[in-house]
Amino acid sequence: MGRERQRVLGVLILIAQNAIASCVQIQRAKGTHTISEAGLFGANLLGLPELFWLGVWNVGRQEYEDKAGRPSKPPSPKQNVRKNLDFEPLSTTALILEDRPANLPAKPAEEAQKHRQQYEEMVVQAKKRELKEAQRRKKQLEERCRLEESIGNAVLTWNNEILPNWETMWCSRKVRDLWWQGIPPSVRGKVWTLAIGNELNITHEERQPVAIKLCLLRDQASVSSRRRDSGEAWVHSWALQLPDRNVLTCAHGTYPEPSLPELFDICLARAKERWRSFSTGGSEVENEDAGFSAADREASLELIKLDISRTFPNLCIFQQGGPYHDMLHSILGAYTCYRPDVGYVQGMSFIAAVLILNLDTADAFIAFSNLLNKPCQMAFFRVDHGLMLTYFAAFEVFFEENLPKLFAHFKKNNLTPDIYLIDWRQRLASRK
Amino acid sequence: MTYAYLFKYIIIGDTGVGKSCLLLQFTDKRFQPVHDLTIGVEFGARMVNIDGKQIKLQIWDTAGQESFRSITRSYYRGAAGALLVYDITRRETFNHLTSWLEDARQHSSSNMVIMLIGNKSDLESRRDVKREEGEAFAREHGLIFMETSAKTACNVEEAFINTAKEIYRKIQQGLFDVHNEANGIKIGPQQCISTSVGPSASQRNSRDVGSNSGCC
């Protein structure tokens, strides 16, 4: 049953990927690939973001199941005890057959014989159970060893074979299969970084104004001479010198595009200044980013604060006072400065959180910005309703083609993609 | 589990006002102080008993962020009841009610029953919106009004059940066409409207709540 459900989910995920890919096709409107090609290379076109998340999902699930005990396995010994306590002791060491105390009349021979027999049966049962339990433990241990060994081997393969030859290997069958088994935690960050890529570092026409703006900022604050990881205190003091008002007035000339780690620092510093002016009620930064009102920004900042507390709350690491709280705050804040046109949208915090768990702050920001820049992610994060409907429609085409019965059932019950696909898409990436 | 009717509810309002917590309190009778944020839509369901009839409430809990409005609008379709929630400790969530109401009126059936809810009534010391203001807003726009606390469970049952009662009253008055699912009401499986439904096993899950308990 569980396996069946997993299979169906797997197929649905593939369909989603294909749908996404075909939408990329539709969007690019080049007409150079057919839809089936799009399906085949769906993940490739996306730089594999969906597939790579699945890698996490698989390993995550495995880890979880190992911890929680696989559902298909017999119940834990504890449960066994509780269930059988009335008539079956757990261990033979607890079984001692004693005669009645001397101050009571002795048992009749018949009764004593019966008790001895019962006692022997109990011992046999208990021994059997002990044996079974020992076998189960041994099997579990073996399985864990096997898993650890396979993870160890996978790490070697990733590090020695795949990562050095990423460009040629990433779309191979072997890599894909290995990916589906889950990326070992130690190489996850590297694989993600490569898979997402850093397209944004390439000069892009529509990105030029942002780049120029940020370059100006960098020049004026002479950040190029600073190291990117020089600490919180420095970023804070540097933020004080940022000349916000001049930014928009001199957007001319050619400047080299800043690299994203620097860009992260720049954006973070700007975000910090905003937070500060927001908390002190200052109006200094009122007129920047024409078109995005102060009220919007305020809402955005408030929202980030509110949502961080609701991001994987059970892990207790992203909440106020938790080890990753500031990192998550920084990345989301910096992103709203980097892309004020997108701003902060609910759901982003989960993606950033998953990235933070596997990458350092600047790399996580790069991965985050690039990932969100993929057409499908962008459509959903900008909540571009029209484009989302296109994705939904494409998904339905693939859904019907691959799982016609389930599709008919969904249709019959008016279960349309707008009801579940938004959440699924998010879940593929990160949630729960 | 049989039911006489199924009502579709939708919960709307700004982000962080406690929509999901209200739902969790109503369906599971528990409060989770740090709740995962809702993206898109999530669902809950519970049986209630109104006038001796088993009624299943199917509740759609929506994302509150402004960006998701265009999507939320498509969820109003076929809702019989709406809980419009604000946070009594954050005035801006009260100020946004008008725009939520506009959305609700525009995208739902005209008979949809709307319950205005001022949530977090347990945080009296941080109150930013007076109870009277909520009442006045509700009066002005023809809504039912209640202050609730998803944390203490105060008035949560009542909010959901009073909405159901109002919908049921409208059905009996013939205002709802129960055969048209666009109104957010479905007749239960193997039910015809004239059959009266006796108490069933699901009874233990439901309580017929009388007038306001007045704990808030």
mmCIF file of all heavy atoms in Angstrom, chain A residues 303 306-307 309-310 313 344-347 350 383 385 388 418-419 422-423 426-427 431-432, chain B residues 15-16 34-43 60 63-65 67-68 70-71 74-75:
data_model
loop_
_atom_site.group_PDB
_atom_site.id
_atom_site.type_symbol
_atom_site.label_atom_id
_atom_site.label_comp_id
_atom_site.label_asym_id
_atom_site.label_seq_id
_atom_site.Cartn_x
_atom_site.Cartn_y
_atom_site.Cartn_z
ATOM 1 N N LEU A 303 6.585 40.463 7.694
ATOM 2 C CA LEU A 303 6.201 39.134 7.255
ATOM 3 C C LEU A 303 7.355 38.148 7.393
ATOM 4 O O LEU A 303 7.164 37.014 7.821
ATOM 5 C CB LEU A 303 5.760 39.217 5.791
ATOM 6 C CG LEU A 303 4.804 38.144 5.333
ATOM 7 C CD1 LEU A 303 3.591 38.111 6.249
ATOM 8 C CD2 LEU A 303 4.363 38.419 3.911
ATOM 9 N N LEU A 306 7.597 37.236 10.912
ATOM 10 C CA LEU A 306 6.479 36.370 11.282
ATOM 11 C C LEU A 306 6.688 34.947 10.744
ATOM 12 O O LEU A 306 6.413 33.954 11.415
ATOM 13 C CB LEU A 306 5.196 36.964 10.691
ATOM 14 C CG LEU A 306 3.865 36.429 11.167
ATOM 15 C CD1 LEU A 306 3.636 36.824 12.611
ATOM 16 C CD2 LEU A 306 2.745 36.990 10.304
ATOM 17 N N ASP A 307 7.196 34.876 9.506
ATOM 18 C CA ASP A 307 7.288 33.570 8.851
ATOM 19 C C ASP A 307 8.481 32.756 9.307
ATOM 20 O O ASP A 307 8.432 31.526 9.294
ATOM 21 C CB ASP A 307 7.335 33.744 7.328
ATOM 22 C CG ASP A 307 5.947 33.980 6.773
ATOM 23 O OD1 ASP A 307 4.995 33.996 7.579
ATOM 24 O OD2 ASP A 307 5.812 34.152 5.554
ATOM 25 N N SER A 309 9.432 32.413 12.205
ATOM 26 C CA SER A 309 8.974 31.652 13.377
ATOM 27 C C SER A 309 8.098 30.472 12.959
ATOM 28 O O SER A 309 7.880 29.556 13.735
ATOM 29 C CB SER A 309 8.216 32.562 14.328
ATOM 30 O OG SER A 309 6.994 32.945 13.749
ATOM 31 N N ARG A 310 7.616 30.511 11.726
ATOM 32 C CA ARG A 310 6.748 29.407 11.278
ATOM 33 C C ARG A 310 7.437 28.527 10.239
ATOM 34 O O ARG A 310 6.790 27.838 9.468
ATOM 35 C CB ARG A 310 5.457 29.986 10.682
ATOM 36 C CG ARG A 310 4.666 30.801 11.691
ATOM 37 C CD ARG A 310 3.299 31.142 11.167
ATOM 38 N NE ARG A 310 3.332 32.212 10.178
ATOM 39 C CZ ARG A 310 2.258 32.618 9.516
ATOM 40 N NH1 ARG A 310 1.091 32.029 9.707
ATOM 41 N NH2 ARG A 310 2.336 33.599 8.643
ATOM 42 N N PRO A 313 9.056 24.836 12.405
ATOM 43 C CA PRO A 313 9.090 25.164 13.841
ATOM 44 C C PRO A 313 9.529 23.986 14.709
ATOM 45 O O PRO A 313 10.133 24.192 15.763
ATOM 46 C CB PRO A 313 7.647 25.577 14.149
ATOM 47 C CG PRO A 313 6.825 25.073 13.010
ATOM 48 C CD PRO A 313 7.728 25.003 11.823
ATOM 49 N N TYR A 344 9.395 39.483 -0.734
ATOM 50 C CA TYR A 344 9.306 38.227 0.006
ATOM 51 C C TYR A 344 7.931 37.611 -0.218
ATOM 52 O O TYR A 344 6.918 38.286 -0.086
ATOM 53 C CB TYR A 344 9.535 38.467 1.510
ATOM 54 C CG TYR A 344 9.179 37.236 2.307
ATOM 55 C CD1 TYR A 344 10.010 36.123 2.291
ATOM 56 C CD2 TYR A 344 7.970 37.159 2.995
ATOM 57 C CE1 TYR A 344 9.663 34.973 2.962
ATOM 58 C CE2 TYR A 344 7.616 36.006 3.672
ATOM 59 C CZ TYR A 344 8.466 34.916 3.654
ATOM 60 O OH TYR A 344 8.104 33.765 4.304
ATOM 61 N N VAL A 345 7.912 36.350 -0.572
ATOM 62 C CA VAL A 345 6.643 35.652 -0.763
ATOM 63 C C VAL A 345 6.651 34.402 0.109
ATOM 64 O O VAL A 345 7.668 33.708 0.205
ATOM 65 C CB VAL A 345 6.433 35.261 -2.241
ATOM 66 C CG1 VAL A 345 5.105 34.549 -2.427
ATOM 67 C CG2 VAL A 345 6.489 36.484 -3.134
ATOM 68 N N GLN A 346 5.543 34.144 0.746
ATOM 69 C CA GLN A 346 5.472 32.996 1.648
ATOM 70 C C GLN A 346 5.854 31.718 0.924
ATOM 71 O O GLN A 346 5.406 31.492 -0.208
ATOM 72 C CB GLN A 346 4.071 32.897 2.233
ATOM 73 C CG GLN A 346 3.810 34.031 3.208
ATOM 74 C CD GLN A 346 2.549 33.838 4.004
ATOM 75 O OE1 GLN A 346 1.547 33.397 3.470
ATOM 76 N NE2 GLN A 346 2.598 34.185 5.282
ATOM 77 N N GLY A 347 6.644 30.922 1.581
ATOM 78 C CA GLY A 347 7.133 29.691 0.969
ATOM 79 C C GLY A 347 8.629 29.796 0.732
ATOM 80 O O GLY A 347 9.353 28.809 0.773
ATOM 81 N N PHE A 350 11.046 28.421 3.472
ATOM 82 C CA PHE A 350 11.312 26.983 3.540
ATOM 83 C C PHE A 350 12.474 26.603 2.610
ATOM 84 O O PHE A 350 13.317 25.794 2.965
ATOM 85 C CB PHE A 350 10.067 26.186 3.164
ATOM 86 C CG PHE A 350 9.016 26.221 4.243
ATOM 87 C CD1 PHE A 350 8.025 27.176 4.235
ATOM 88 C CD2 PHE A 350 9.049 25.299 5.274
ATOM 89 C CE1 PHE A 350 7.072 27.217 5.234
ATOM 90 C CE2 PHE A 350 8.100 25.332 6.271
ATOM 91 C CZ PHE A 350 7.108 26.290 6.261
ATOM 92 N N VAL A 383 3.449 34.560 -7.910
ATOM 93 C CA VAL A 383 2.025 34.233 -7.962
ATOM 94 C C VAL A 383 1.427 34.856 -9.223
ATOM 95 O O VAL A 383 0.437 35.574 -9.182
ATOM 96 C CB VAL A 383 1.269 34.679 -6.700
ATOM 97 C CG1 VAL A 383 -0.027 33.917 -6.570
ATOM 98 C CG2 VAL A 383 2.101 34.436 -5.450
ATOM 99 N N HIS A 385 -0.721 34.492 -11.778
ATOM 100 C CA HIS A 385 -1.850 33.580 -11.898
ATOM 101 C C HIS A 385 -1.991 33.014 -13.304
ATOM 102 O O HIS A 385 -2.223 31.829 -13.497
ATOM 103 C CB HIS A 385 -3.136 34.287 -11.471
ATOM 104 C CG HIS A 385 -4.191 33.350 -10.999
ATOM 105 N ND1 HIS A 385 -5.507 33.702 -10.857
ATOM 106 C CD2 HIS A 385 -4.130 32.052 -10.643
ATOM 107 C CE1 HIS A 385 -6.190 32.668 -10.425
ATOM 108 N NE2 HIS A 385 -5.381 31.655 -10.283
ATOM 109 N N MET A 388 0.639 30.494 -13.952
ATOM 110 C CA MET A 388 0.384 29.301 -13.142
ATOM 111 C C MET A 388 -0.691 28.443 -13.784
ATOM 112 O O MET A 388 -0.597 27.210 -13.799
ATOM 113 C CB MET A 388 -0.032 29.712 -11.729
ATOM 114 C CG MET A 388 1.148 30.122 -10.874
ATOM 115 S SD MET A 388 0.668 30.978 -9.386
ATOM 116 C CE MET A 388 0.137 29.652 -8.354
ATOM 117 N N ASP A 418 -5.210 23.619 -9.075
ATOM 118 C CA ASP A 418 -5.016 24.822 -8.247
ATOM 119 C C ASP A 418 -5.221 24.509 -6.763
ATOM 120 O O ASP A 418 -4.780 25.248 -5.896
ATOM 121 C CB ASP A 418 -5.939 25.961 -8.686
ATOM 122 C CG ASP A 418 -7.408 25.594 -8.567
ATOM 123 O OD1 ASP A 418 -7.746 24.427 -8.831
ATOM 124 O OD2 ASP A 418 -8.211 26.463 -8.189
ATOM 125 N N ILE A 419 -5.900 23.381 -6.490
ATOM 126 C CA ILE A 419 -6.137 23.019 -5.093
ATOM 127 C C ILE A 419 -4.925 22.320 -4.478
ATOM 128 O O ILE A 419 -4.619 22.523 -3.315
ATOM 129 C CB ILE A 419 -7.391 22.116 -4.977
ATOM 130 C CG1 ILE A 419 -8.631 22.917 -5.369
ATOM 131 C CG2 ILE A 419 -7.543 21.556 -3.580
ATOM 132 C CD1 ILE A 419 -9.890 22.081 -5.489
ATOM 133 N N ILE A 422 -0.060 23.790 -5.904
ATOM 134 C CA ILE A 422 0.736 24.857 -5.285
ATOM 135 C C ILE A 422 1.472 24.283 -4.081
ATOM 136 O O ILE A 422 2.666 24.481 -3.901
ATOM 137 C CB ILE A 422 -0.180 26.017 -4.847
ATOM 138 C CG1 ILE A 422 -0.896 26.581 -6.068
ATOM 139 C CG2 ILE A 422 0.615 27.093 -4.124
ATOM 140 C CD1 ILE A 422 -1.972 27.569 -5.741
ATOM 141 N N ASP A 423 0.725 23.545 -3.306
ATOM 142 C CA ASP A 423 1.296 22.944 -2.117
ATOM 143 C C ASP A 423 2.306 21.846 -2.474
ATOM 144 O O ASP A 423 3.365 21.752 -1.882
ATOM 145 C CB ASP A 423 0.162 22.370 -1.275
ATOM 146 C CG ASP A 423 0.619 22.052 0.113
ATOM 147 O OD1 ASP A 423 1.121 22.967 0.777
ATOM 148 O OD2 ASP A 423 0.496 20.891 0.525
ATOM 149 N N GLN A 426 5.589 23.168 -3.603
ATOM 150 C CA GLN A 426 6.341 23.639 -2.455
ATOM 151 C C GLN A 426 6.922 22.465 -1.668
ATOM 152 O O GLN A 426 8.049 22.482 -1.226
ATOM 153 C CB GLN A 426 5.402 24.470 -1.576
ATOM 154 C CG GLN A 426 6.058 25.085 -0.379
ATOM 155 C CD GLN A 426 7.027 26.190 -0.770
ATOM 156 O OE1 GLN A 426 6.840 26.839 -1.774
ATOM 157 N NE2 GLN A 426 8.055 26.365 0.016
ATOM 158 N N ARG A 427 6.141 21.431 -1.542
ATOM 159 C CA ARG A 427 6.560 20.266 -0.779
ATOM 160 C C ARG A 427 7.723 19.530 -1.450
ATOM 161 O O ARG A 427 8.577 18.972 -0.789
ATOM 162 C CB ARG A 427 5.386 19.309 -0.615
ATOM 163 C CG ARG A 427 4.929 19.200 0.799
ATOM 164 C CD ARG A 427 3.562 18.595 0.865
ATOM 165 N NE ARG A 427 2.644 19.555 1.426
ATOM 166 C CZ ARG A 427 2.412 19.660 2.726
ATOM 167 N NH1 ARG A 427 3.005 18.879 3.560
ATOM 168 N NH2 ARG A 427 1.578 20.570 3.174
ATOM 169 N N ARG A 431 8.996 21.366 2.142
ATOM 170 C CA ARG A 431 8.220 21.284 3.376
ATOM 171 C C ARG A 431 8.035 19.871 3.879
ATOM 172 O O ARG A 431 7.767 18.958 3.129
ATOM 173 C CB ARG A 431 6.855 21.926 3.171
ATOM 174 C CG ARG A 431 6.971 23.410 2.918
ATOM 175 C CD ARG A 431 5.630 24.005 2.714
ATOM 176 N NE ARG A 431 4.920 24.179 3.948
ATOM 177 C CZ ARG A 431 3.612 24.218 4.031
ATOM 178 N NH1 ARG A 431 2.873 24.058 2.967
ATOM 179 N NH2 ARG A 431 3.025 24.413 5.172
ATOM 180 N N LYS A 432 8.110 19.712 5.157
ATOM 181 C CA LYS A 432 7.790 18.506 5.908
ATOM 182 C C LYS A 432 8.472 17.231 5.427
ATOM 183 O O LYS A 432 8.247 16.773 4.365
ATOM 184 C CB LYS A 432 6.291 18.281 5.941
ATOM 185 C CG LYS A 432 5.642 19.300 6.826
ATOM 186 C CD LYS A 432 4.136 19.279 6.688
ATOM 187 C CE LYS A 432 3.551 20.478 7.419
ATOM 188 N NZ LYS A 432 2.181 20.738 7.084
ATOM 189 N N THR B 15 -2.316 37.274 6.879
ATOM 190 C CA THR B 15 -1.418 36.226 7.353
ATOM 191 C C THR B 15 -1.120 36.423 8.853
ATOM 192 O O THR B 15 -1.044 37.547 9.335
ATOM 193 C CB THR B 15 -0.105 36.219 6.528
ATOM 194 O OG1 THR B 15 0.688 35.134 6.965
ATOM 195 C CG2 THR B 15 0.681 37.507 6.695
ATOM 196 N N GLY B 16 -1.019 35.316 9.548
ATOM 197 C CA GLY B 16 -0.658 35.379 10.969
ATOM 198 C C GLY B 16 -1.784 35.734 11.923
ATOM 199 O O GLY B 16 -1.538 35.970 13.093
ATOM 200 N N VAL B 34 3.428 27.301 17.485
ATOM 201 C CA VAL B 34 4.173 27.577 16.257
ATOM 202 C C VAL B 34 3.703 26.619 15.172
ATOM 203 O O VAL B 34 4.072 25.462 15.143
ATOM 204 C CB VAL B 34 5.702 27.469 16.427
ATOM 205 C CG1 VAL B 34 6.279 28.774 16.915
ATOM 206 C CG2 VAL B 34 6.059 26.348 17.374
ATOM 207 N N HIS B 35 2.899 27.167 14.324
ATOM 208 C CA HIS B 35 2.266 26.380 13.285
ATOM 209 C C HIS B 35 3.020 26.607 11.981
ATOM 210 O O HIS B 35 3.464 27.716 11.719
ATOM 211 C CB HIS B 35 0.822 26.872 13.153
ATOM 212 C CG HIS B 35 -0.074 25.895 12.488
ATOM 213 N ND1 HIS B 35 -0.111 25.754 11.126
ATOM 214 C CD2 HIS B 35 -0.961 25.020 12.984
ATOM 215 C CE1 HIS B 35 -0.997 24.819 10.830
ATOM 216 N NE2 HIS B 35 -1.520 24.352 11.925
ATOM 217 N N ASP B 36 3.159 25.572 11.166
ATOM 218 C CA ASP B 36 3.725 25.748 9.831
ATOM 219 C C ASP B 36 2.859 26.728 9.053
ATOM 220 O O ASP B 36 1.648 26.691 9.158
ATOM 221 C CB ASP B 36 3.695 24.404 9.082
ATOM 222 C CG ASP B 36 4.969 23.621 9.296
ATOM 223 O OD1 ASP B 36 5.744 24.025 10.161
ATOM 224 O OD2 ASP B 36 5.160 22.620 8.596
ATOM 225 N N LEU B 37 3.497 27.565 8.277
ATOM 226 C CA LEU B 37 2.659 28.514 7.553
ATOM 227 C C LEU B 37 1.959 27.842 6.377
ATOM 228 O O LEU B 37 2.438 26.871 5.823
ATOM 229 C CB LEU B 37 3.471 29.744 7.130
ATOM 230 C CG LEU B 37 4.556 29.630 6.096
ATOM 231 C CD1 LEU B 37 4.005 29.975 4.727
ATOM 232 C CD2 LEU B 37 5.648 30.614 6.451
ATOM 233 N N THR B 38 0.793 28.376 6.062
ATOM 234 C CA THR B 38 -0.030 27.762 5.020
ATOM 235 C C THR B 38 0.307 28.358 3.662
ATOM 236 O O THR B 38 0.375 29.566 3.521
ATOM 237 C CB THR B 38 -1.519 28.014 5.321
ATOM 238 O OG1 THR B 38 -1.779 27.668 6.669
ATOM 239 C CG2 THR B 38 -2.410 27.217 4.395
ATOM 240 N N ILE B 39 0.517 27.461 2.699
ATOM 241 C CA ILE B 39 0.764 27.913 1.333
ATOM 242 C C ILE B 39 -0.314 27.284 0.465
ATOM 243 O O ILE B 39 -0.566 26.095 0.575
ATOM 244 C CB ILE B 39 2.173 27.515 0.875
ATOM 245 C CG1 ILE B 39 3.189 28.360 1.645
ATOM 246 C CG2 ILE B 39 2.362 27.737 -0.617
ATOM 247 C CD1 ILE B 39 4.524 27.748 1.750
ATOM 248 N N GLY B 40 -0.930 28.088 -0.371
ATOM 249 C CA GLY B 40 -2.038 27.564 -1.169
ATOM 250 C C GLY B 40 -3.245 27.355 -0.283
ATOM 251 O O GLY B 40 -3.766 28.296 0.287
ATOM 252 N N VAL B 41 -3.640 26.101 -0.126
ATOM 253 C CA VAL B 41 -4.814 25.818 0.693
ATOM 254 C C VAL B 41 -4.634 24.508 1.440
ATOM 255 O O VAL B 41 -3.973 23.598 0.951
ATOM 256 C CB VAL B 41 -6.093 25.793 -0.191
ATOM 257 C CG1 VAL B 41 -6.032 24.697 -1.231
ATOM 258 C CG2 VAL B 41 -7.353 25.659 0.641
ATOM 259 N N GLU B 42 -5.130 24.448 2.656
ATOM 260 C CA GLU B 42 -5.124 23.195 3.412
ATOM 261 C C GLU B 42 -6.533 22.901 3.877
ATOM 262 O O GLU B 42 -7.381 23.789 3.885
ATOM 263 C CB GLU B 42 -4.142 23.290 4.579
ATOM 264 C CG GLU B 42 -2.715 23.155 4.065
ATOM 265 C CD GLU B 42 -1.636 23.243 5.123
ATOM 266 O OE1 GLU B 42 -1.967 23.098 6.310
ATOM 267 O OE2 GLU B 42 -0.489 23.470 4.743
ATOM 268 N N PHE B 43 -6.758 21.664 4.276
ATOM 269 C CA PHE B 43 -8.123 21.260 4.551
ATOM 270 C C PHE B 43 -8.309 20.654 5.927
ATOM 271 O O PHE B 43 -7.393 20.077 6.490
ATOM 272 C CB PHE B 43 -8.590 20.231 3.513
ATOM 273 C CG PHE B 43 -8.480 20.722 2.106
ATOM 274 C CD1 PHE B 43 -7.353 20.477 1.353
ATOM 275 C CD2 PHE B 43 -9.506 21.461 1.551
ATOM 276 C CE1 PHE B 43 -7.233 20.960 0.068
ATOM 277 C CE2 PHE B 43 -9.409 21.949 0.267
ATOM 278 C CZ PHE B 43 -8.266 21.701 -0.485
ATOM 279 N N TRP B 60 -11.803 24.897 4.212
ATOM 280 C CA TRP B 60 -10.645 25.257 3.393
ATOM 281 C C TRP B 60 -9.903 26.384 4.098
ATOM 282 O O TRP B 60 -10.449 27.469 4.288
ATOM 283 C CB TRP B 60 -11.089 25.737 2.002
ATOM 284 C CG TRP B 60 -11.752 24.697 1.160
ATOM 285 C CD1 TRP B 60 -12.647 23.753 1.577
ATOM 286 C CD2 TRP B 60 -11.590 24.512 -0.251
ATOM 287 N NE1 TRP B 60 -13.043 22.989 0.505
ATOM 288 C CE2 TRP B 60 -12.420 23.431 -0.617
ATOM 289 C CE3 TRP B 60 -10.831 25.158 -1.234
ATOM 290 C CZ2 TRP B 60 -12.505 22.979 -1.931
ATOM 291 C CZ3 TRP B 60 -10.921 24.704 -2.539
ATOM 292 C CH2 TRP B 60 -11.746 23.613 -2.877
ATOM 293 N N ALA B 63 -4.007 30.610 2.415
ATOM 294 C CA ALA B 63 -2.814 31.421 2.703
ATOM 295 C C ALA B 63 -3.251 32.875 2.816
ATOM 296 O O ALA B 63 -4.122 33.328 2.086
ATOM 297 C CB ALA B 63 -1.801 31.267 1.579
ATOM 298 N N GLY B 64 -2.632 33.619 3.730
ATOM 299 C CA GLY B 64 -3.106 34.971 3.993
ATOM 300 C C GLY B 64 -2.360 36.078 3.265
ATOM 301 O O GLY B 64 -2.827 37.197 3.190
ATOM 302 N N GLN B 65 -1.169 35.751 2.726
ATOM 303 C CA GLN B 65 -0.372 36.832 2.156
ATOM 304 C C GLN B 65 -1.058 37.448 0.944
ATOM 305 O O GLN B 65 -1.659 36.748 0.123
ATOM 306 C CB GLN B 65 1.029 36.339 1.758
ATOM 307 C CG GLN B 65 1.988 37.496 1.510
ATOM 308 C CD GLN B 65 3.349 37.046 0.989
ATOM 309 O OE1 GLN B 65 3.582 35.867 0.759
ATOM 310 N NE2 GLN B 65 4.239 37.995 0.794
ATOM 311 N N SER B 67 0.016 38.431 -1.798
ATOM 312 C CA SER B 67 0.375 37.869 -3.105
ATOM 313 C C SER B 67 -0.506 36.700 -3.514
ATOM 314 O O SER B 67 -0.650 36.408 -4.692
ATOM 315 C CB SER B 67 1.820 37.395 -3.109
ATOM 316 O OG SER B 67 2.565 37.980 -2.114
ATOM 317 N N PHE B 68 -1.060 36.014 -2.518
ATOM 318 C CA PHE B 68 -1.821 34.813 -2.847
ATOM 319 C C PHE B 68 -3.293 35.110 -3.127
ATOM 320 O O PHE B 68 -4.077 34.205 -3.387
ATOM 321 C CB PHE B 68 -1.719 33.783 -1.719
ATOM 322 C CG PHE B 68 -0.368 33.121 -1.639
ATOM 323 C CD1 PHE B 68 0.622 33.638 -0.820
ATOM 324 C CD2 PHE B 68 -0.080 32.008 -2.403
ATOM 325 C CE1 PHE B 68 1.865 33.050 -0.757
ATOM 326 C CE2 PHE B 68 1.164 31.406 -2.343
ATOM 327 C CZ PHE B 68 2.143 31.929 -1.513
ATOM 328 N N SER B 70 -4.898 36.329 -5.597
ATOM 329 C CA SER B 70 -5.462 35.922 -6.884
ATOM 330 C C SER B 70 -5.820 34.444 -6.855
ATOM 331 O O SER B 70 -6.751 34.011 -7.523
ATOM 332 C CB SER B 70 -4.478 36.215 -8.004
ATOM 333 O OG SER B 70 -3.294 35.485 -7.790
ATOM 334 N N ILE B 71 -5.070 33.680 -6.061
ATOM 335 C CA ILE B 71 -5.353 32.254 -5.983
ATOM 336 C C ILE B 71 -6.499 31.996 -5.027
ATOM 337 O O ILE B 71 -7.415 31.227 -5.319
ATOM 338 C CB ILE B 71 -4.102 31.511 -5.507
ATOM 339 C CG1 ILE B 71 -3.019 31.720 -6.546
ATOM 340 C CG2 ILE B 71 -4.385 30.043 -5.295
ATOM 341 C CD1 ILE B 71 -1.765 31.043 -6.253
ATOM 342 N N SER B 74 -10.033 31.885 -6.195
ATOM 343 C CA SER B 74 -10.642 30.728 -6.867
ATOM 344 C C SER B 74 -11.184 29.722 -5.846
ATOM 345 O O SER B 74 -11.930 28.819 -6.201
ATOM 346 C CB SER B 74 -9.645 30.065 -7.810
ATOM 347 O OG SER B 74 -8.518 29.629 -7.080
ATOM 348 N N TYR B 75 -10.797 29.879 -4.581
ATOM 349 C CA TYR B 75 -11.287 28.942 -3.574
ATOM 350 C C TYR B 75 -12.659 29.314 -3.021
ATOM 351 O O TYR B 75 -13.293 28.521 -2.341
ATOM 352 C CB TYR B 75 -10.297 28.854 -2.398
ATOM 353 C CG TYR B 75 -8.914 28.385 -2.788
ATOM 354 C CD1 TYR B 75 -7.790 28.915 -2.179
ATOM 355 C CD2 TYR B 75 -8.740 27.397 -3.761
ATOM 356 C CE1 TYR B 75 -6.515 28.491 -2.523
ATOM 357 C CE2 TYR B 75 -7.473 26.983 -4.114
ATOM 358 C CZ TYR B 75 -6.358 27.528 -3.496
ATOM 359 O OH TYR B 75 -5.095 27.110 -3.846
#
